Amino acid sequence: VRLSIIRGVEGDQPRYVYDTEPNAREIRLEWTDRDPQWGKTCYYYVRIEQQRPPGGYGALAWASPMWITLKH
């Protein structure tokens, strides 16, 4: 299993801001953005890829994006 958090900032290209392969059936995660973009609108979403069986493909799942604007 691979779990990723992707962040997009306004018109910039989205990028992976967290990535792990815990090899566990269940995952509990608490994450804080260490580089928040103050005053800009960002979106975050979680993407999960299941382990690929031999000769097959892993299934993908992702959450709806969360749109956040940090203001002082």
Side-chain angles (χ1 to χ4, degrees), residues 11-63:
D12 293 347
Q13 185 75 14
R15 66 182 187 94
Y16 287 75
V17 291
Y18 180 81
D19 199 41
T20 186
E21 294 186 38
N23 294 322
R25 190 172 182 95
E26 292 185 23
I27 301 167
R28 291 181 186 251
L29 176 70
E30 185 173 319
W31 177 82
T32 301
D33 191 344
R34 303 268 186 225
D35 184 27
Q37 303 296 302
W38 291 94
K40 295 182 179 181
T41 300
C42 301
Y43 63 87
Y44 299 84
Y45 65 94
V46 176
R47 180 180 183 271
I48 298 171
E49 181 178 353
Q50 291 179 331
Q51 187 173 2
R52 292 184 176 134
Y57 296 95
L60 296 176
W62 52 90

